[in-house]
Amino acid sequence: MILRKKGEVPVDAVEEQGASGVSIRWLISKHEGAPNFAMRLFDVAPGGYTPLHQHAWEHVVYILEGQAEVASSQGPVQVESGDAILVEPEEKHQFRNCGDATLRFLCMIPILE
């Protein structure tokens, strides 16, 4: 078993084009020995957003705190603390913090290497 405490995991700014006010912590990844999935913790400042993008793999997201508008193939969807989301392969998506507090969510993705 591998245990990592949130406070021990480095916080990195998301500097991809099209992102604003977003930070990431790689809680569990291949670097810790995970063979199949990575778990990431995102914080999005009020008014901030992840880049609008798509990729070949699915991922699952769980909203821990805050409110967001998620751009999806079905149009914008409002989500809040306690909601779980499946982003399907090749689906364009973006998370926008539409609240007054930090948006915090877990995102799990497959390890592709």
Side-chain angles (χ1 to χ4, degrees):
M1 180 171 77
I2 297 166
L3 172 65
R4 297 193 77 199
K5 303 272 187 185
K6 179 182 88 171
E8 298 169 353
V9 178
V11 179
D12 297 314
V14 174
E15 297 180 357
E16 285 181 56
Q17 184 176 357
S20 176
V22 181
S23 65
I24 185 173
R25 286 183 173 100
W26 286 82
L27 298 174
I28 300 289
S29 70
K30 66 181 178 181
H31 299 292
E32 289 73 45
N36 298 307
F37 297 96
M39 180 186 296
R40 308 172 301 169
L41 176 64
F42 285 88
D43 285 335
V44 184
Y49 45 88
T50 63
L52 178 63
H53 67 289
Q54 68 188 85
H55 37 68
W57 58 90
E58 79 279 3
H59 56 263
V60 293
V61 173
Y62 184 76
I63 307 296
L64 295 167
E65 299 174 20
Q67 301 172 328
E69 179 179 278
V70 181
S72 75
S73 59
Q74 294 86 26
V77 176
Q78 300 296 315
V79 299
E80 62 186 11
S81 175
D83 289 345
I85 303 148
L86 168 65
V87 178
E88 297 185 68
E90 302 301 343
E91 181 174 17
K92 282 192 175 183
H93 56 282
Q94 178 184 50
F95 291 81
R96 290 185 161 271
N97 184 341
C98 60
D100 296 329
T102 298
L103 168 67
R104 177 168 287 156
F105 61 91
L106 291 172
C107 179
M108 280 63 74
I109 59 172
I111 294 174
L112 302 172
E113 299 176 5

